[in-house]
């Protein structure tokens, strides 16, 4: 968070006229060193006897990953194939929730896992899954996914990245003059399923029609 927001939260927490208040926050511990404003603010509040409970969330265990994979595939979590797949995914991702989902998605994108309409279930080759390489860097995962996109989608993401963590479709359309509304709609559809999420709560209408607001799925 920015300093102004942290100062506001601190002021609210120290306001004795607010009787009952619970503030829940989340952050990546490895991205908040001791000299960062958030870390300093937490220490200051603790010295002022403001009760702060910190809960550290570790990576998922293989027992956690099995039902997650089973639910994603609509299969029984006691199915030996599902258990084997989940164990492979856990081994390759070390149980990092983000990587677990990204790895599962990449298996689908690369057709290493496919839906068998004859058997009415998902099928995959365990050996092919086990040989798939997993990067240990989030940025590398996202770059690899973007490189698989069509050129129009990559251009759209480059423009959107200059607009901040969230952006409106109309803003991107206004910059990419050579892209029609139809092309934009198709491009957003191809990207939003894995890299972007649409915030319908702030959607509006512009002269271009529906003007959704988007955010990056990994943010």
């Amino acid at each position: 968070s920015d300093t102004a927001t942290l100062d506001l939260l601190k002021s609210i927490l120290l306001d004795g006229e607010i009787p009952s208040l619970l503030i829940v926050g989340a952050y990546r511990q490895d991205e908040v060193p001791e000299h960062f404003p958030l870390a300093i603010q937490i220490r200051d509040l603790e010295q002022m006897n403001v009760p702060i409970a910190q809960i550290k969330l570790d990576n998922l265990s293989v027992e956690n990953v099995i039902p997650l994979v089973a639910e994603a595939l609509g299969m029984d979590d006691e199915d030996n194939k599902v258990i084997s797949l989940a164990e492979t995914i856990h081994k390759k991702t070390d149980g990092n929730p983000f990587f677990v989902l990204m790895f599962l998605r990449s298996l689908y994108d690369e057709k290493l896992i496919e839906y068998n309409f004859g058997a009415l279930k998902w099928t995959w080759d365990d050996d092919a899954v086990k040989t798939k390489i997993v990067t240990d860097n989030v940025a590398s995962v996202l770059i690899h996914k973007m490189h698989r996109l069509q050129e129009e989608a990559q251009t759209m993401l480059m423009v959107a990245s200059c607009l901040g963590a969230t952006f409106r479709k109309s803003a991107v359309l206004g910059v990419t003059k050579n892209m029609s509304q139809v092309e934009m709609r198709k491009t957003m559809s191809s990207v939003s399923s894995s890299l972007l999420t649409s915030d319908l709560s702030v959607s509006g209408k512009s002269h271009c029609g529906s003007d959704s607001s988007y955010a990056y799925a990994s943010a």
Side-chain angles (χ1 to χ4, degrees), residues 21-34:
L21 176 66
L22 173 65
I23 295 179
V24 179
Y27 64 92
R28 299 182 180 96
Q29 191 171 17
D30 58 346
E31 295 181 4
V32 182
E34 292 186 358

Side-chain angles (χ1 to χ4, degrees), residues 62-144:
V62 66
E63 288 76 17
N64 298 139
V65 176
I66 291 173
L68 188 155
V69 172
E71 183 175 353
L73 300 177
M75 298 175 70
D76 190 341
D77 59 7
E78 295 184 356
D79 187 314
N80 288 333
K81 286 278 288 181
V82 172
I83 293 175
S84 177
L85 176 62
E87 289 175 341
T88 299
I89 292 175
H90 181 268
K91 183 178 180 179
K92 286 181 171 292
T93 63
D94 197 30
N96 181 303
F98 177 78
F99 283 116
V100 167
L101 296 177
M102 292 288 282
F103 184 79
L104 192 56
R105 176 74 195 195
S106 68
L107 292 179
Y108 172 77
D109 290 341
E110 297 176 22
K111 300 188 184 302
L112 293 178
I113 180 170
E114 298 182 291
Y115 191 75
N116 186 320
F117 287 95
L120 297 178
K121 65 178 183 180
W122 292 94
T123 59
W124 58 90
D125 183 336
D126 281 328
D127 291 334
V129 173
K130 289 177 181 177
T131 58
K132 178 172 170 55
I133 298 174
V134 181
T135 178
D136 60 356
N137 184 281
V138 174
S140 296
V141 173
L142 297 178
I143 290 172
H144 180 63

Side-chain angles (χ1 to χ4, degrees), residues 160 163 166-174 188 199 201-205 211-214:
L163 301 176
T166 61
F167 60 90
R168 287 190 177 278
K169 186 168 64 176
S170 60
V172 177
L173 190 61
M188 295 300 292
D199 186 356
S201 64
V202 295
S203 294
K205 290 285 185 177
D211 185 19
S212 298
S213 178
Y214 291 86

